[in-house]
Amino acid sequence: MSIVIDLARLTAALADFGAGYLVTTAADGRAKVVTVDPRDGDGDSDAEGAIVLPPSKGSARNLVDNPAATLVFPPVEPRGYTLLIDGTAVGGDHAIRFTPESAVLHRPASHGDGPQPPPGAGEPTGCASDCRPA
């Protein structure tokens, strides 16, 4: 079950999480996962609306063939929410620029007794519990 995050609130949602993982895919289908500490691209004319990530040569190679990527931010508390962000990215020598297309807070229904969504998520709507189907 998931809570959809409005992309306008994504910066606030990211503030509720620590380091995450960038997932890219090589031409042969193998996934590459690297740890990232993102920063907001606002104010950077080359990255407006993007999330700026540290450089990774392997990830940058993958992004040439397949720009689709996912950011995964694990829960900060047991049974909490994972932040999943799908988008596209471009790798460079100094940074990876990730452009979000969709974002959700997700946890399995079996973790429904866990903590409430982080404050940056906004208010969930459309369900009787703390989340709604995506």
Side-chain angles (χ1 to χ4, degrees):
M1 299 189 73
S2 301
I3 299 172
V4 176
I5 301 294
D6 182 338
L7 294 181
R9 299 185 67 107
L10 188 54
T11 299
L14 276 169
D16 295 322
F17 290 85
Y21 305 98
L22 172 67
V23 183
T24 61
T25 308
D28 66 2
R30 291 183 194 187
K32 177 171 184 59
V33 180
V34 296
T35 302
V36 294
D37 285 308
R39 66 176 178 84
D40 189 352
D42 290 345
D44 179 346
S45 61
D46 292 334
E48 196 68 34
I51 298 169
V52 179
L53 306 170
S56 163
K57 289 181 183 180
S59 297
R61 265 192 312 274
N62 286 353
L63 293 167
V64 169
D65 293 324
N66 182 6
T70 298
L71 287 171
V72 179
F73 295 89
V76 294
E77 298 180 63
R79 302 176 77 82
Y81 287 89
T82 297
L83 175 60
L84 302 168
I85 309 169
D86 289 325
T88 57
V90 175
D93 291 338
H94 303 291
I96 293 174
R97 289 173 185 81
F98 181 94
T99 303
E101 295 174 358
S102 65
V104 296
L105 289 173
H106 176 79
R107 70 176 175 195
S110 63
H111 290 193
D113 62 343
Q116 292 295 308
E123 292 298 317
T125 59
C127 66
S129 69
D130 65 349
C131 54
R132 62 183 166 98

